[in-house]
Amino acid sequence: MPDATEPRSPIGTSPEWEALRAHHAEVAPRHLRDLLVEPGRLEAMTLDLPGIHADLSKHRATPDTLRLLAEVAERAGLRERIDAMFRGDAINTTEGRSVLHVALRAPRGEVIRVDGRDVVADVHEVLDRMRDAARRIRDGEWRGATGQPIRAIVNIGIGGSDLGPAMVVEALRTRTDPDRIHRFVSNVDGADIDWALRDLDPATTLFIVASKTFTTVETLTNARTARRWLVDALGEDAVARHFLALSTNEAEVVEFGIEPANMFGFWDWVGGRYSVGSAIGLSVMLAIGPDGFDELLAGFRAVDEHLRDAPFERNLPVLMGLLGVWYVNLFGASSHAVLPYAQELSRFPAYLQQLEMESNGKSVTLDGQRVGWSTGPVVWGEPGTNGQHAFFQLLHQGTVLVPADFIGVVEPNHPLGHHHDLLVANLLAQTEALAAGRTAAAVRAEGVPEALVPHKVFEGNRPTTTLLCDRLDPRTLGSLIALYEHKVLTQSVVWGINAFDQWGVELGKALATRIGPELDPASTVDPDAAHDPSTAALVRRYRSRTRPDAH
């Protein structure tokens, strides 16, 4: 069996890549106006998963492109890497870890072993404890220190311990109890927690502190501020009734005042940006209930099974990843827009920024060599129609190519159907306009003065994916998230990089720990000896402030 961790990027080194390059030279000059009317194209370039219809026909590609991309993926060893992931092999080679977010949604009774231990059984043990806690809190059985039920839940985390749960709760807000408040605090900026707490009642507020090591500086700074706020109002004994921990560091959790019974663990084979299906999703379960959380996991699982079973030419997350490679490495695209035409998905682009950019923002291969090609693009976006009045000018008439995903919903979660028809009409109109554009002849035919004709021409030929969901419910949202998770895996394998570590964040964190004490006006550290001239000058300027509560 081939080694699934062996660096095998086919870019520039394989006959499959050379065939794709030659094909690109033929396809790149062609316009989507012509490609879209080719017989059989729509059937060949649309796919259906439960609850999601995917239209890939507005890409600057043909069915032959998808076949050639699939052959590149085969050469890269994608099938072996997928199988290795599901087996629990340590495909995160730089940290020697398995990559098993798929185990978080595996059905009870399935067996995946890591170091001889069935991790699926461990997952369901934690899920059962989460369900029990969620039921007691939601039903009012869990009482705070004064005997009142919980009416506000504040999740304190950062990165994957915040972005995933916050995005999901926002996306599924119509499933939440309108009488219960759900808030998320992540930024160490004091404004974040100050605003989160200022209108809450300590007697009815529950905090969830999400930190695997229970040492994350930003999270623990916010958690200690929340603890002080609670203790000032209710006393030290209240901590045990108003704090839960998502962590594996029992000693630190107990030192904080949280009982071990109220600590929910997870594992080092779950990366933070892949962790919303783990204990990190407790705030989600509290918001939508255990049954809703089970639906979310079922949606993840449906795409996991599709990834494992579908041929690459009909495998949606694989094709999404490969089309990204097509644009980054052959068209020179450096960014990718995600444009949800659903207000509930307003945090989805931010969630994907971490998922994709922290995963594939790498410049060395699995064996530590400098890559010879571009890797992860910048991911960005805003909900439609807001984005249309902000940055769509660049998408339509700018000089850079920005492939984009448009995500829409057929059945809205509100009764205002005339709003929704207008929203979807905009989605469809934008993808049509981006593809077809408007020629100079068409502009002149409208009687536009000749001097204005160049300004009103739209080149078109701007590629888009349309993901049209039947409805936005927990199952569909789980499937959407999993599509992008496995897109990331696909691209990392073709690029020959490790999508599951994130060493790039460590240096800045280490420097911040060193600089922090130097900002005290009483510090005796000479900034000029410790830093470059720019940083030293900024440290001195900050030290000169006069703020009574500085330290």
Side-chain angles (χ1 to χ4, degrees):
M1 178 181 297
D3 181 357
T5 64
E6 178 187 351
R8 296 168 56 190
S9 174
I11 295 180
T13 62
S14 70
E16 290 83 0
W17 187 258
E18 288 308 310
L20 186 68
R21 283 173 56 89
H23 174 73
H24 170 260
E26 297 174 1
V27 172
R30 302 186 65 189
H31 201 287
L32 276 167
R33 285 191 294 266
D34 302 317
L35 292 172
L36 277 166
V37 297
E38 291 185 339
R41 177 183 179 86
L42 194 61
E43 294 77 8
M45 299 187 72
T46 56
L47 295 88
D48 286 285
L49 271 61
I52 301 175
H53 174 73
D55 185 343
L56 308 179
S57 67
K58 290 188 175 78
H59 278 284
R60 294 174 64 175
T62 68
D64 279 344
T65 312
L66 303 188
R67 174 182 57 80
L68 291 167
L69 284 167
E71 290 173 1
V72 167
E74 293 284 3
R75 166 65 73 166
L78 179 59
R79 179 60 62 193
E80 293 97 318
R81 191 74 62 85
I82 291 169
D83 291 343
M85 179 174 71
F86 279 92
R87 282 196 307 268
D89 294 1
I91 65 171
N92 178 353
T93 53
T94 62
E95 296 178 301
R97 294 175 179 172
S98 301
V99 175
L100 276 176
H101 42 281
V102 294
L104 299 175
R105 50 262 196 165
R108 196 185 301 271
E110 186 171 315
V111 175
I112 301 175
R113 296 193 183 279
V114 175
D115 297 328
R117 186 178 181 89
D118 178 11
V119 298
V120 178
D122 292 341
V123 165
H124 281 276
E125 186 273 331
V126 173
L127 284 172
D128 287 342
R129 292 183 56 234
M130 291 168 60
R131 291 185 186 103
D132 179 64
R135 178 191 59 77
R136 289 186 290 129
I137 293 166
R138 285 166 57 86
D139 291 350
E141 180 182 330
W142 179 294
R143 300 276 169 158
T146 66
Q148 298 181 66
I150 299 301
R151 303 311 308 164
I153 296 164
V154 180
N155 187 92
I156 301 175
I158 198 167
S161 298
D162 169 80
L163 282 166
M167 180 274 291
V168 173
V169 171
E170 175 67 15
L172 301 176
R173 62 187 178 188
T174 58
R175 296 292 191 102
T176 65
D177 180 352
D179 294 326
R180 185 173 288 114
I181 297 168
H182 297 274
R183 290 187 180 159
F184 294 83
V185 173
S186 57
N187 200 333
V188 77
D189 185 338
D192 198 8
I193 193 160
D194 181 52
W195 277 98
L197 299 182
R198 61 175 47 196
D199 63 344
L200 299 185
D201 179 358
T204 60
T205 300
L206 179 72
F207 295 96
I208 301 173
V209 183
S211 171
K212 182 181 292 186
T213 62
F214 222 72
T215 58
T216 309
V217 172
E218 299 93 336
T219 299
L220 267 295
T221 298
N222 281 323
R224 292 184 185 111
T225 296
R227 188 185 192 281
R228 185 166 60 251
W229 174 83
L230 181 81
V231 168
D232 286 348
L234 302 178
E236 286 282 346
D237 292 343
V239 173
R241 299 301 301 165
H242 292 266
F243 276 87
L244 305 177
L246 313 179
S247 180
T248 57
N249 190 341
E250 183 172 324
E252 290 292 334
V253 167
V254 171
E255 175 69 21
F256 189 89
I258 301 173
E259 297 176 358
N262 296 329
M263 183 180 89
F264 301 84
F266 47 106
W267 307 272
D268 65 6
W269 42 258
V270 182
R273 55 197 177 275
Y274 298 91
S275 66
V276 72
S278 71
I280 291 297
L282 180 58
S283 58
V284 175
M285 188 181 285
L286 289 169
I288 65 174
D291 291 344
F293 197 81
D294 287 345
E295 291 179 41
L296 182 76
L297 296 179
F300 277 109
R301 186 160 60 247
V303 174
D304 294 344
E305 293 168 355
H306 172 73
L307 172 75
R308 189 163 49 181
D309 298 337
F312 289 164
E313 287 181 62
R314 301 297 296 172
N315 194 310
L316 184 53
V318 169
L319 290 176
M320 288 170 64
L322 292 174
L323 284 166
V325 171
W326 173 244
Y327 292 115
V328 167
N329 298 113
L330 292 169
F331 284 86
S334 60
S335 80
H336 184 96
V338 179
L339 309 168
Y341 277 64
Q343 185 61 31
E344 297 107 312
L345 290 174
S346 61
R347 296 290 291 159
F348 196 53
Y351 172 76
L352 294 181
Q353 284 176 343
Q354 185 197 25
L355 177 65
E356 297 203 30
M357 294 168 70
E358 191 167 78
S359 294
N360 285 344
K362 309 292 171 59
S363 57
V364 295
T365 61
L366 283 167
D367 59 353
Q369 302 301 307
R370 183 81 182 181
V371 298
W373 45 86
S374 295
T375 59
V378 173
V379 176
W380 59 283
E382 282 287 328
T385 54
N386 291 0
Q388 293 175 198
H389 293 263
F391 51 77
F392 271 47
Q393 170 64 38
L394 184 144
L395 298 185
H396 283 286
Q397 291 185 305
T399 58
V400 295
L401 181 70
V402 183
D405 296 348
F406 283 71
I407 304 172
V409 179
V410 175
E411 299 178 19
N413 290 322
H414 59 75
L416 304 177
H418 62 296
H419 279 259
H420 196 64
D421 289 347
L422 181 58
L423 177 71
V424 174
N426 273 275
L427 182 160
L428 300 179
Q430 291 297 325
T431 61
E432 184 173 37
L434 285 163
R438 185 167 59 172
T439 65
V443 174
R444 291 189 183 99
E446 295 175 357
V448 174
E450 189 62 31
L452 287 180
V453 168
H455 299 278
K456 294 198 172 187
V457 168
F458 290 72
E459 283 186 8
N461 221 18
R462 310 294 173 111
T464 62
T465 293
T466 299
L467 299 174
L468 195 58
C469 306
D470 291 345
R471 62 194 61 83
L472 188 57
D473 56 19
R475 186 179 296 261
T476 303
L477 182 60
S479 291
L480 273 177
I481 297 170
L483 283 175
Y484 284 90
E485 287 179 345
H486 299 322
K487 169 193 170 182
V488 164
L489 170 69
T490 297
Q491 292 181 334
S492 72
V493 174
V494 174
W495 287 327
I497 60 178
N498 184 2
F500 304 109
D501 61 10
Q502 56 277 334
W503 301 106
V505 303
E506 299 300 325
L507 177 58
K509 287 163 61 175
L511 289 174
T513 301
R514 192 180 92 193
I515 291 173
E518 298 174 16
L519 299 179
D520 188 328
S523 173
T524 59
V525 174
D526 178 7
D528 291 312
H531 303 287
D532 63 82
S534 169
T535 305
L538 292 169
V539 168
R540 285 195 303 273
R541 183 175 184 86
Y542 190 81
R543 276 184 184 176
S544 69
R545 74 203 185 286
T546 55
R547 199 178 75 236
D549 65 334
H551 286 275

